[in-house]
């Protein structure tokens, strides 16, 4: 299942409609793309990397210019606007910057448009390849019969096609390992209950939905052998991922359960530390209504104060290993990660 692709415009699965409706959104300009990113029609760090790349292609076609310097200035401004659409996942900016660089290096507008599309397509293709590699490295960590806890959606929908943490589970399943996945619903936007369960059920993989607050009991009852999550940004002292991940990591340590993070190297931002990263805060309405799709099901007083961070940071001391497309990295991360990033 391809989440995002180019077909004269950007086409993407509208993830706000799942699991009820499977619809393809057509995005023809940068403002619509930003809106789609902010309302989570497209989401998940690697999928945002592809969206960022394709977004710069859209910017190249938005207006006609007779002067290539003015064209480049325009595309640069639009690219910066895409980068700012969501602040936490570094991949959005990685995708934008990579295609923008090609545009700025081009001699003519026509060439810029061609190379931009080629580069954006390359980002998407590379994502599929690296996810499969991550899947095969990560699958070695999984044993037949494992109970695996995960949060948010890290599958096809969060990437271009295969998945990071869910990609590892999918690869293990293909190798014949029978796993039982426990999917945290992932409040408030329910990427776990709406998307992860849907993907795994489509693949015939055993999945049980739990609320986020049930993670403790399933670990205590011995139902979980491993926790595997994705990442939006990995810095030198921690992993940013969907809100609730930190609590899972602390619980996993308490219960002696390995805690794995699967992410491509483009998610690493090793120059930075946790204190340097902006955690996106989203609308209070997401907590005050039972679901984004149900605008009249109020579950909190209208004027209650709300704190709604979309991500949290898990210190690396809780992470048993990082699964990447170049292999599995074990601690000490300050020594091992730079080695992999250099290769
Ligand atoms: O707010 P979202 O749905 O974009 O958050 C996504 C996550 O937190 C994922 O776990 C992360 O991007 C890794 S996806 C392969």
């Amino acid at each position: 299942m391809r989440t995002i692709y180019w077909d004269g415009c950007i086409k993407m699965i509208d993830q706000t409609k799942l699991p009820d409706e499977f619809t393809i959104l057509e995005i023809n300009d940068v403002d619509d793309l930003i809106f789609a990113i902010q309302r989570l029609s497209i989401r998940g760090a690697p999928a945002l990397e592809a969206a960022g790349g394709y977004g710069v292609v859209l910017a190249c076609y938005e207006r006609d210019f007779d002067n290539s310097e003015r064209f480049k200035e325009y595309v640069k401004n639009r690219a910066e606007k895409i980068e700012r659409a969501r602040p936490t996942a570094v991949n959005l900016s990685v995708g934008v910057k990579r295609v923008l660089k090609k545009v700025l290096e081009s001699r003519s507008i026509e060439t810029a448009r061609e190379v931009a599309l080629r580069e954006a397509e390359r980002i998407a293709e590379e994502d599929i390849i690296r996810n499969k590699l991550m899947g095969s490295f990560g699958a070695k960590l999984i044993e037949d019969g494992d109970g695996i806890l995960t949060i948010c959606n890290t599958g096809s929908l969060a990437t271009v096609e295969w998945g990071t943490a869910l990609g590892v589970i999918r690869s293990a399943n293909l190798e014949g390992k029978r796993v039982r996945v426990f999917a945290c619903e992932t409040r408030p936007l329910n990427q776990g209950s709406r998307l992860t369960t849907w993907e795994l059920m489509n693949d015939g993989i055993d999945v049980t939905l739990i609320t986020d607050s049930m993670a403790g009991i399933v670990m205590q009852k011995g139902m979980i052998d491993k926790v595997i999550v994705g990442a939006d940004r990995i810095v030198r002292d921690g992993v940013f991922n969907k809100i609730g991940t930190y609590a899972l990591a602390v619980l996993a340590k308490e219960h002696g359960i390995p805690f794995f993070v699967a992410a491509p190297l483009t998610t690493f931002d090793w120059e930075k530390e946790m204190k340097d990263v902006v955690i996106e805060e989203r609308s209070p309405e997401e907590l005050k209504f039972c679901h984004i799709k149900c605008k009249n099901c109020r579950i909190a007083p209208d004027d209650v104060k709300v704190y709604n961070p979309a991500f949290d940071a898990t210190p690396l001391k809780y992470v048993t290993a990082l699964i990447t497309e170049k292999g599995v990295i074990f601690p000490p991360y300050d020594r091992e990660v730079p080695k992999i990033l250099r290769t």
Side-chain angles (χ1 to χ4, degrees):
M1 180 175 61
R2 179 101 183 206
T3 302
I4 180 166
Y5 54 98
W6 182 264
D7 183 17
C9 63
I10 301 178
K11 291 197 176 166
M12 57 171 74
I13 299 171
D14 186 352
Q15 302 190 28
T16 62
K17 299 248 164 56
L18 288 169
D20 297 332
E21 281 173 50
F22 184 93
T23 40
I24 302 293
L25 257 185
E26 293 190 6
I27 305 280
N28 288 290
D29 66 49
V30 166
D31 291 333
D32 282 353
L33 176 66
I34 291 170
F35 184 59
I37 290 173
Q38 290 176 339
R39 67 193 292 267
L40 310 196
S41 289
I42 182 106
R43 42 145 302 278
L48 290 176
E49 186 173 327
Y54 285 130
V56 178
V57 182
L58 277 183
C60 289
Y61 283 98
E62 269 181 339
R63 288 202 192 157
D64 287 329
F65 287 88
D66 45 23
N67 172 313
S68 86
E69 286 317 304
R70 275 208 291 277
F71 163 80
K72 286 181 186 174
E73 198 49 40
Y74 177 81
V75 175
K76 191 163 168 278
N77 285 335
R78 300 297 273 162
E80 282 164 4
K81 203 169 168 202
I82 302 170
E83 269 188 82
R84 289 194 298 268
R86 289 189 81 192
T88 310
V90 68
N91 302 62
L92 176 61
S93 138
V94 168
V96 166
K97 285 203 166 80
R98 200 170 138 181
V99 177
L100 180 64
K101 182 169 183 284
K102 293 283 174 190
V103 171
L104 299 180
E105 284 167 1
S106 301
R107 294 236 174 97
S108 73
I109 297 176
E110 206 187 334
T111 318
R113 286 175 171 154
E114 274 166 29
V115 296
L117 181 55
R118 214 176 304 138
E119 194 67 6
E121 296 281 36
R122 212 171 278 152
I123 291 174
E125 294 308 323
E126 284 173 14
D127 186 62
I128 298 170
I129 295 166
R130 70 195 183 191
N131 277 203
K132 295 268 174 73
L133 288 167
M134 224 183 290
S136 56
F137 286 123
K140 294 193 177 66
L141 301 167
I142 295 179
E143 282 159 54
D144 190 32
D146 270 353
I148 300 173
L149 181 67
T150 192
I151 190 166
C152 200
N153 171 268
T154 57
S156 301
L157 293 164
T159 60
V160 174
E161 202 176 85
W162 188 250
T164 57
L166 231 55
V168 168
I169 292 169
R170 200 167 255 148
S171 296
N173 177 63
L174 270 186
E175 288 176 12
K177 293 174 182 167
R178 283 153 304 171
V179 291
R180 290 167 293 110
V181 180
F182 289 81
C184 290
E185 64 170 344
T186 319
R187 277 284 290 154
L189 295 179
N190 294 85
Q191 291 93 328
S193 60
R194 291 187 299 112
L195 310 175
T196 297
T197 57
W198 181 79
E199 276 199 39
L200 291 175
M201 288 170 77
N202 284 345
D203 275 6
I205 297 175
D206 184 297
V207 58
T208 303
L209 173 65
I210 59 168
T211 68
D212 303 342
S213 52
M214 292 171 192
I217 192 170
V218 290
M219 290 192 199
Q220 203 175 40
K221 281 181 172 284
M223 293 153 87
I224 305 299
D225 300 288
K226 270 133 207 166
V227 179
I228 310 183
V229 301
D232 289 87
R233 192 186 292 242
I234 301 177
V235 295
R236 51 197 322 147
D237 54 353
V239 172
F240 286 82
N241 191 47
K242 181 49 58 193
I243 190 73
T245 302
Y246 173 45
L248 296 185
V250 175
L251 275 169
K253 188 162 188 99
E254 172 66 21
H255 290 90
I257 297 169
F259 181 90
F260 298 113
V261 176
L265 294 176
T266 50
T267 302
F268 286 66
D269 193 7
W270 208 243
E271 302 301 304
K272 295 217 172 73
E273 295 179 8
M274 290 194 283
K275 64 176 171 47
D276 305 320
V277 178
V278 175
I279 292 185
E280 176 185 2
E281 273 187 48
R282 295 185 60 88
S283 161
E285 304 307 300
E286 292 178 354
L287 266 72
K288 290 200 266 181
F289 291 87
C290 86
H291 195 269
I292 37 166
K293 290 203 273 190
C294 182
K295 292 283 183 220
N296 48 11
C297 299
R298 184 179 294 285
I299 50 168
D302 189 31
D303 48 2
V304 68
K305 276 198 291 178
V306 169
Y307 175 51
N308 184 19
F311 302 95
D312 59 27
T314 300
L316 278 175
K317 68 173 183 185
Y318 291 106
V319 179
T320 310
L322 298 163
I323 303 164
T324 75
E325 69 271 37
K326 294 228 175 121
V328 179
I329 312 176
F330 289 95
Y333 298 121
D334 54 351
R335 193 187 70 199
E336 298 303 316
V337 171
K339 273 198 221 162
I340 295 269
L341 289 174
R342 273 197 300 270
T343 57

